[in-house]
Amino acid sequence: MGMAKNKKLCFKCDEEKITYNCKGCSKEFCLMDLTGHRLILTSELNHINNAYNEFKQTINEQKQNPHNHSLINQINQWEIGSIEKIQQKAQEYREIAIKSSGTYINDIEIKFKDLNEQINQMQTQNEFNEIDLNYLRNQLIEITEELNNPLKISMKDDSQSFINEISIISSKKSQFNKWKQNAITAAGGNKQGQQLNQCNYPYGIFIDKNKNIFIADRGNHRIVEWKYNAKIGQIIAGGNKEGNRMHQLKCPTHVIVDQQNHSIIIADQGNRRVIQWMNQKQQILIHNIHCSRLAMDKSGFLYVSDSEKNEVRRWKMGEYNNEGAIVAGGNGKGNQLNQLRYPTFICVDEDQSVYVSDGSNHRVMKWRKDAKEGRIVAGGNDQGGNLNQLWTPEGVVVDHFGHIYVADCYNDRVMRWYEGKEEGEIVVGGNGEGNQTNQLMRPLGLSFDDEGNLYVADDCNHRIQKFEIIL
């Protein structure tokens, strides 16, 4: 600071005195106020020094305790949150694995129980031969192999993320498929009529390996084939007005394709006959039968339900001259386990067990091969719309997991049941009767294509609905 030659106003006391210039703030102070000004500057320096010492202490503390850094704390919180997520995922997958294992064991137990009942039945009735014993022996071998080779479950490691997530990969496809609830109209849907783009109360349907749809177009007395994604169908049998001549049909209720000889077999119910069409040539296979629906097993046996006699019979390929063998019912109309009451749709599994939609008993029955009575596998709790009930069941299909799919006609829905369970679940429909894409109106025939898409003969809407599987 330099001494001024002349008196000037002091910045602090505002009096003319000999002043001294502060180069820091460029202001003039008298000697007394300059001293006070310096004290203020000294105090501020001390504050800065204290802050420095505090900062130095903080640095030393962080050097000595690096885990207390705020970023480290953030990382710690991230770690805790990640561990919680991993633990939640791990528990979720444990539950999936336990559930899969339980379902697998239940499947084997059901098969084991069936086998035990067959053994007991043979022992009680004392009616068996070498063929029966070989069958039982093979069944036991199959169940044993299945038990010793359980469903494989593995973990798939997703290495794309920093924290690897796992997912359960099963050696089989999911046993609990789901379908889109809004259907695509695969055939018909252009009001009731007899044009090639229309249907008239379609009943039974069959889907071949090329996804072509064969329809028993009952009200038009014809069988129509709709090629995959076609806009119109083509008549392949009947369509020559209602009649009983060989080239005519009367109210056909079902059609199946015999892919071995490329023919179609028709339940020509109104004419009380089962008729085969091959290359526009017709042959009556079975005469004088109130044929309701048809099925064919992998060995080529033909099964026919008779809703008048309340029974299901089986014929060996090429041996249609005899009366066939009764495989379900045949004990008069009734609701006992050895009886049926207006049976309609039927299907046969790989073990030649017959599943029958027992319409007026509002249940689906399973009759094992050579059994004297059936077992209720769906419904059987009177007519109704609860999950443990059916109302005039129609189409029935069983997949290789043992799930039973039923067209629950007057509830306007398709149900899935698992043998031994008290209740079923709604697969599609169940939204009241109607013609919207998520509604059905008196569903009858059911079928799946090779991809697992579900087809429903939506009878009173005169259309075939395709519900796409959700992969």
Side-chain angles (χ1 to χ4, degrees):
M1 298 181 182
M3 185 174 21
K5 296 180 181 180
N6 300 315
K7 291 184 179 181
K8 295 182 180 179
L9 286 173
C10 173
F11 174 78
K12 184 71 175 175
C13 64
D14 199 25
E15 295 181 3
E16 283 195 358
K17 292 182 179 180
I18 297 174
T19 60
Y20 302 87
N21 181 261
C22 174
K23 292 184 178 180
C25 62
S26 300
K27 292 183 175 62
E28 301 288 334
F29 295 92
C30 66
L31 183 60
M32 184 179 293
D33 290 330
L34 178 63
T35 302
H37 182 61
R38 293 295 299 173
L39 289 174
I40 292 172
L41 294 178
T42 301
S43 176
E44 291 179 359
L45 176 61
N46 290 336
H47 281 301
I48 292 172
N49 186 57
N50 291 337
Y52 167 80
N53 290 331
E54 290 177 2
F55 180 73
K56 182 178 180 181
Q57 183 179 357
T58 301
I59 291 176
N60 291 334
E61 287 176 353
Q62 290 196 10
K63 285 174 66 177
Q64 295 173 3
N65 301 289
H67 294 289
N68 291 334
H69 194 279
S70 61
L71 179 59
I72 297 298
N73 290 332
Q74 292 178 37
I75 294 172
N76 290 341
Q77 291 300 316
W78 168 82
E79 179 185 26
I80 292 170
S82 298
I83 290 173
E84 289 177 353
K85 291 179 180 178
I86 291 171
Q87 289 174 336
Q88 290 172 0
K89 281 289 183 183
Q91 183 60 28
E92 178 183 337
Y93 293 131
R94 285 190 197 99
E95 291 174 359
I96 292 174
I98 291 170
K99 185 175 181 179
S100 298
S101 176
T103 301
Y104 163 73
I105 294 297
N106 287 339
D107 289 346
I108 294 179
E109 284 185 335
I110 290 172
K111 293 179 180 179
F112 181 76
K113 185 177 180 181
D114 282 347
L115 182 61
N116 183 53
E117 289 181 2
Q118 292 177 66
I119 293 172
N120 290 338
Q121 184 176 344
M122 289 183 187
Q123 288 176 332
T124 302
Q125 297 177 354
N126 197 24
E127 292 183 2
F128 55 89
N129 53 33
E130 289 83 357
I131 296 175
D132 296 319
L133 295 179
N134 285 333
Y135 168 77
L136 293 177
R137 194 176 293 110
N138 290 333
Q139 287 291 102
L140 185 58
I141 291 172
E142 287 182 10
I143 295 174
T144 303
E145 288 179 351
E146 189 172 349
L147 181 63
N148 293 333
N149 296 279
L151 178 67
K152 294 180 180 177
I153 296 178
S154 60
M155 291 194 305
K156 180 181 178 181
D157 199 345
D158 180 6
S159 59
Q160 297 300 313
S161 58
F162 179 71
I163 297 176
N164 296 340
E165 290 194 4
I166 60 173
S167 57
I168 297 296
I169 304 298
S170 172
S171 61
K172 293 183 180 179
K173 291 183 178 180
S174 170
Q175 295 191 23
F176 301 98
N177 292 331
K178 293 185 178 180
W179 290 265
K180 294 179 181 179
Q181 295 301 296
N182 291 292
I184 299 169
T185 299
N190 297 298
K191 299 182 179 179
Q192 178 182 4
Q194 59 182 2
Q195 301 302 314
L196 291 179
N197 68 339
Q198 294 177 307
C199 294
N200 187 1
Y201 294 109
Y203 266 48
I205 57 175
F206 184 95
I207 314 297
D208 70 9
K209 61 183 179 181
N210 297 317
K211 299 186 181 65
N212 301 320
I213 308 171
F214 296 79
I215 306 169
D217 193 9
R218 188 173 190 267
N220 285 322
H221 313 289
R222 66 190 184 185
I223 305 298
V224 183
E225 178 185 5
W226 285 64
K227 298 291 187 182
Y228 180 58
N229 283 339
K231 300 301 181 184
I232 62 172
Q234 57 183 14
I235 300 171
I236 58 173
N240 299 302
K241 298 183 179 180
E242 175 185 345
N244 60 5
R245 295 183 179 181
M246 291 296 287
H247 70 293
Q248 294 177 308
L249 298 171
K250 183 179 179 181
C251 300
T253 55
H254 207 186
V255 57
I256 59 175
V257 177
D258 184 351
Q259 303 188 56
Q260 292 183 357
N261 57 24
H262 306 288
S263 68
I264 61 172
I265 300 175
I266 306 165
D268 189 14
Q269 188 180 58
N271 286 319
R272 299 180 64 86
R273 65 189 182 186
V274 176
I275 189 168
Q276 181 182 53
W277 284 57
M278 183 188 303
N279 299 323
Q280 294 303 311
K281 294 182 179 179
Q282 303 85 35
Q283 176 187 1
I284 299 175
L285 302 181
I286 305 170
H287 296 264
N288 193 29
I289 181 172
H290 195 261
C291 46
S292 182
R293 309 293 189 270
L294 308 173
M296 183 174 285
D297 67 21
K298 61 183 180 181
S299 300
F301 284 92
L302 178 65
Y303 299 73
V304 184
S305 63
D306 187 329
S307 54
E308 194 174 78
K309 294 184 177 179
N310 298 291
E311 63 185 20
V312 179
R313 289 182 181 263
R314 179 181 65 199
W315 281 264
K316 188 176 182 180
M317 181 71 71
E319 297 182 4
Y320 300 112
N321 292 328
N322 58 39
E323 294 183 350
I326 295 177
V327 294
N331 296 296
K333 180 170 65 176
N335 61 3
Q336 301 301 307
L337 293 179
N338 68 342
Q339 293 178 308
L340 298 170
R341 197 166 128 197
Y342 202 81
T344 55
F345 283 88
I346 52 178
C347 73
V348 186
D349 67 15
E350 295 180 351
D351 299 323
Q352 293 185 318
S353 293
V354 181
Y355 295 77
V356 187
S357 278
D358 191 11
S360 293
N361 283 324
H362 311 290
R363 66 189 185 184
V364 175
M365 301 288 290
K366 176 183 178 180
W367 291 65
R368 294 191 320 272
K369 183 181 179 182
D370 299 327
K372 302 302 181 183
E373 63 180 32
R375 174 191 299 169
I376 300 172
V377 292
N381 297 298
D382 297 325
Q383 167 189 316
N386 296 323
L387 292 180
N388 68 339
Q389 293 177 307
L390 297 170
W391 187 0
T392 312
E394 291 284 351
V396 59
V397 179
V398 178
D399 66 18
H400 62 281
F401 291 117
H403 295 142
I404 304 156
Y405 296 83
V406 186
D408 191 8
C409 182
Y410 282 89
N411 283 320
D412 304 301
R413 64 190 184 185
V414 176
M415 300 283 289
R416 173 167 57 195
W417 292 67
Y418 192 76
E419 185 175 346
K421 298 295 183 181
E422 295 296 326
E423 293 185 347
E425 60 180 328
I426 299 172
V427 173
V428 295
N431 299 304
E433 69 174 46
N435 60 6
Q436 301 302 308
T437 57
N438 68 340
Q439 292 180 308
L440 299 168
M441 191 171 179
R442 309 299 179 263
L444 295 179
L446 295 182
S447 189
F448 290 98
D449 64 23
D450 289 342
E451 294 179 356
N453 300 307
L454 173 61
Y455 296 75
V456 183
D458 192 11
D459 183 53
C460 290
N461 282 321
H462 312 289
R463 65 188 182 182
I464 308 301
Q465 295 293 84
K466 175 183 177 182
F467 294 88
E468 295 181 317
I469 191 168
I470 300 174
L471 300 176

